[in-house]
Amino acid sequence: MTSSLASQLYQMRNVDRIISTERAQKIKASFLFDGRQAADMDNQTIFDIGRDGLEELRKTNHKFDVYASTLFSEAVKDLDRVLQTKDENRKLDESIRSFLFLLAPHFLTKPAGKAIEWLIRRFRIQEFNARDILAAILPYHETKAFLTLLTIITFDTQDMGIFGFLVTQRKARRLLDRATLMAQCARDRSLMAFIFNSVFKAITSGFGYPGLHSFYVVVMTQYIGQLLVIDDGTVQFVLPYVLDGLNHESKDAHIAAYMVLGSLATRITFTQDALEKGLCAVATNPIDIQAMSMCLTQLLQSQASVADPAMSARCLRLLAKHEAFPRELCDIAKSFDIELVMRVFVGALVRNVNSDERILALLSTFVPIIPASSVTILCECVVRESVSVTLDSGSMDALLQAIDLIRLRYSQQLEDVIGAAANSIGARSDLTKAQIEDVHKMLYN
């Protein structure tokens, strides 16, 4: 019964489309021409224009080849989609959606305009595929081409809640500037969700391009920046998109995610658990080690207000997989003041050096190249951990190796730190004489 009712409703909508078509015989929707001028052109003329556009697009990207036998084939010249079945139209919509995503990087070119003209004439995409059109061309919202296409789009009633503001824009024949778009995003999170879902649908389908990633980053960072208060709901809304970006194989998607995460980190204070998850997510399968290193640095540096920002052994094991990471971090330290980051990272290395040989290997790689400004931090962390392990009678094999490695390169700095630590320990009244002697023996051995 339900499927029968749905079928009847579908047919009724198509009848409405047919009536609409009959009323519009004297004026045709068009991207390239005036409505009355377009009405004087027959389907064959528009088909030839569209096919010519496709042939030019095929020269720039062979992925357009497949559409020569589908959307731009002789077989569909007389197709009327209102007479197609629901399943046939679903398949047609999928093909149109993919084509529009593929076309998006070329939207402002003449060949793209020709191809769009055919899709409008034959498949009435301005009526049946309004959301797909917007998903593909919204990055061009400040252009005249966007406004031209917007003027012929027909929005379904259920979409007016999200896109109603665009109707106002086109009535006034105003370009959709960034400020207007962002103000609407602030008022209506569903518009933001549409934008983000469209971006990741394109990326997942293999249709990502630099302009799309740039658009995503600008919109997301401005959205975060313009909010007076970022509550838990906002964080829960934004983070899944960041994680999606980190899971993609696209370098641009990763860098976009890093930038958005960095922007979010400057506005909120993460819990230690959330910070740890963020660090591990960034360190897992990075495509650009330099960008990953900058992101990790910004994450830790922006969280100075966290009582005790830390890095887990799991995160260190992930970083140990990336041979270039220690040098990238050191290069950052040479150019920027990242003392907090170095203390967190070095402290984590020393604290966990006994737990995993991969962490010892990471520390061994890091020690020879550490910037001079961070040598004292390294020595302090080693001595502090040595004292802690000695007093707790813990395992020290790997830590002793680390101490020897540091002593070979930075003997004077290490001796200075050891001296200060030993004097401090000697002054402690809560330790027995034997404990103090054990610490001194370990430090000066």
Side-chain angles (χ1 to χ4, degrees), residues 258-288:
Y258 294 154
M259 295 177 69
V260 172
L261 187 57
S263 177
L264 184 62
T266 61
R267 292 294 314 277
I268 66 172
T269 298
F270 290 111
T271 64
Q272 181 58 59
D273 181 61
L275 178 60
E276 167 65 17
K277 289 179 179 177
L279 293 172
C280 288
V282 172
T284 302
N285 301 321
I287 294 176
D288 186 314

Side-chain angles (χ1 to χ4, degrees), residues 64-198:
F64 284 106
D65 291 350
V66 65
Y67 297 101
S69 59
T70 56
L71 298 178
F72 294 82
S73 70
E74 293 280 346
V76 301
K77 282 203 308 183
D78 297 317
L79 181 146
D80 189 343
R81 67 180 300 171
V82 298
L83 302 178
Q84 301 292 297
T85 67
K86 187 173 182 179
D87 188 57
E88 288 171 336
N89 271 321
R90 180 185 57 78
K91 293 177 181 178
L92 179 60
D93 286 337
E94 290 175 357
S95 182
I96 291 171
R97 184 180 304 114
S98 297
F99 180 81
L100 290 173
F101 277 140
L102 183 61
L103 186 72
H106 312 275
F107 176 60
L108 299 181
T109 68
K110 289 182 179 179
K114 293 177 180 180
I116 290 172
E117 187 69 21
W118 169 245
L119 297 182
I120 291 171
R121 171 61 65 92
R122 182 67 284 157
F123 304 111
R124 295 161 61 183
I125 62 171
Q126 77 282 5
E127 296 178 49
F128 291 93
N129 303 96
R131 291 178 70 96
D132 296 328
I133 293 174
L134 289 175
I137 70 169
L138 202 53
Y140 300 93
H141 64 88
E142 294 181 292
T143 68
K144 290 182 179 179
F146 176 87
L147 180 59
T148 298
L149 195 48
L150 179 62
T151 58
I152 63 172
I153 289 178
T154 302
F155 293 109
D156 286 337
T157 304
Q158 61 265 33
D159 287 335
M160 288 299 290
I162 302 178
F163 304 123
F165 77 105
L166 293 176
V167 176
T168 303
Q169 289 293 127
R170 73 182 182 189
K171 282 182 178 178
R173 299 292 296 178
R174 287 197 307 264
L175 296 179
L176 178 59
D177 58 62
R178 184 62 50 77
T180 301
L181 178 62
M182 296 313 304
Q184 185 63 26
C185 287
R187 287 190 290 267
D188 184 5
R189 188 178 288 178
S190 62
L191 176 60
M192 286 296 294
F194 172 79
I195 293 174
F196 298 157
N197 289 333
S198 298

